[in-house]
Each structure stands twice: as C-alpha cells, then as structure tokens.
Amino acid sequence: GAGVSQSPRYKVAKRGQDVALRCDPISGHVSLFWYQQALGQGPEFLTYFQNEAQLDKSGLPSDRFFAERPEGSVSTLKIQRTQQEDSAVYLCASSLAQAGVSGIQYFGAGTRLSVL
Amino acid sequence: AQKITQTQPGMFVQEKEAVTLDCTYDTSDPSYGLFWYKQPSSGEMIFLIYQGSYDQQNATEGRYSLNFQKARKSANLVISASQLGDSAMYFCAMRDYSNTGNQFYFGTGTSLTVIP
C-alpha cells in the first residue's frame, strides 16, 4: 500500500489478556518506530527498528511489552498480561532514512487499545 | 525538562484568516530537526513541514510556513488562509542526538478549530 497500515484499528482486551498489534510500513522504508499516545497527550517513543534489528527499546514501559520485525518489513508489538494503564493509541511510523535528524516519519492511523 | 512545549491547548480561527501555533524546544545539540504534524479525528499523524537547525531560511509548504527563531528556540507554525478542513490537533516534534537520535519528542499538541 501507499501508506503505513496498522491493524486492528480497535482492540478491546480483558485485563490479563495478551494482545498483538500489527504494522505494515511503507515499502522500502528502513526504519520503523512504535509510539504510545495516551488520551490528550502527544505520542511517546517506545522502540525503533532499523531493518530487522531492534536498535532502541528504551521507551518500552515494562518487560510485558515486546516488539519484533523479523524480516525487516512488517512489525508486531505484543503486550502480555495487559493492564488498564496500557489503554492508549499505539502508533507505528516508518522512515526511509536509516538515521539522521532530518528523516521524516510517516505514521499509520494507529490501534486504539482499551483494556477493561 | 520538556523537550517540546506547546502552550496553547486550544485555538480558534476564522475561516480564511491566518493562525500561528506556538512551539518552543529545548536541546543542547547543534544538529536537530523540527517537525509539525496534523492529527485529525481519524487518528493518523500527517506530516506538514520540516525545519533543520542549519537551514538558513524558514521552511514553507503551501499554506504552511515555519517561523524558526533559533536564538529563542521557537518553531511556530503559521497556517495561512485557514480552511474548515484544518480543524485538527497539531503537534510539534523534534529529533536530536541527545539520546540515541532515534526518537521524536512530541509536544502535547494544540487543538485548532476553524470557524466558518
């Protein structure tokens, strides 16, 4: 597709359930990012991939959060044993550039996760 | 300290008028990039404009321009000839090398409403 695609758009989970969120970046984009956006806030960085390598996971809030990009294209963000505080919109972005401050990130529409 | 500060939670503008959305940033790195994104109610973050720290001229993209005042560390977005479709959340973001250079730092956003 032309843009970053995320699925599902909405996910309702019971507390303690595991969830998996998918991101399909723009074809050919080397860099992939995950962000968490709480209600009324700006997005906050979770993790970064360059191709299949996870180079930065400093923003993952706990060891219940896990991300992978095994073939350097599609990425999955997994949250184990979900908690209510995990409720947020999870945004994925991709960038053509490998590094550098000028790399424009293109975002998907996000997955809205609600944990009951 | 906040990397990006947006002090206007909400702004109103009359259709066809110009509006300025404020953004100040904090970094000690000489090399950084500043970005503005629009987030309509659909949730997708739409890239609007980019300004590099070494750029001599203010960036412009159609009706969007960035008023870059380096000494004051401000990067205000100017939208000229506002349209009803401009109603959305607007986020200022910065990327620098202070951490790993991999993440964007976002502000808390400004909600813009265009009045017919």
Side-chain angles (χ1 to χ4, degrees), chain A residues 16-46:
Chain A
Q17 192 176 2
D18 296 350
V19 298
L21 313 179
R22 176 189 168 102
C23 172
D24 199 342
I26 295 172
S27 178
H29 278 198
V30 169
S31 300
L32 186 144
F33 306 79
W34 283 99
Y35 291 84
Q36 181 189 61
Q37 186 176 19
L39 190 64
Q41 300 296 315
E44 292 198 358
F45 171 81
L46 293 177

Side-chain angles (χ1 to χ4, degrees), chain A residues 36-39 84-90 111-115:
Chain A
Q36 181 189 61
Q37 186 176 19
L39 190 64
Q84 284 187 325
E85 61 263 27
D86 300 335
S87 295
V89 174
Y90 291 85
T111 294
R112 182 178 297 276
L113 173 65
S114 298
V115 181

Side-chain angles (χ1 to χ4, degrees), chain B residues 38-92:
Chain B
K38 172 185 178 181
Q39 188 176 43
S41 56
S42 60
E44 186 172 352
M45 300 280 282
I46 302 167
F47 166 73
L48 296 178
I49 196 166
Y50 163 78
Q51 179 86 43
S53 59
Y54 293 117
D55 293 344
Q56 295 296 313
Q57 294 191 337
N58 287 343
T60 60
E61 289 285 351
R63 294 187 298 112
Y64 305 108
S65 60
L66 202 152
N67 184 2
F68 181 44
Q69 299 187 37
K70 198 169 183 176
R72 297 180 59 187
K73 293 189 175 179
S74 74
N76 299 339
L77 176 70
V78 180
I79 305 174
S80 62
S82 297
Q83 301 173 356
L84 295 178
D86 294 336
S87 294
M89 285 291 293
Y90 287 81
F91 290 95
C92 179

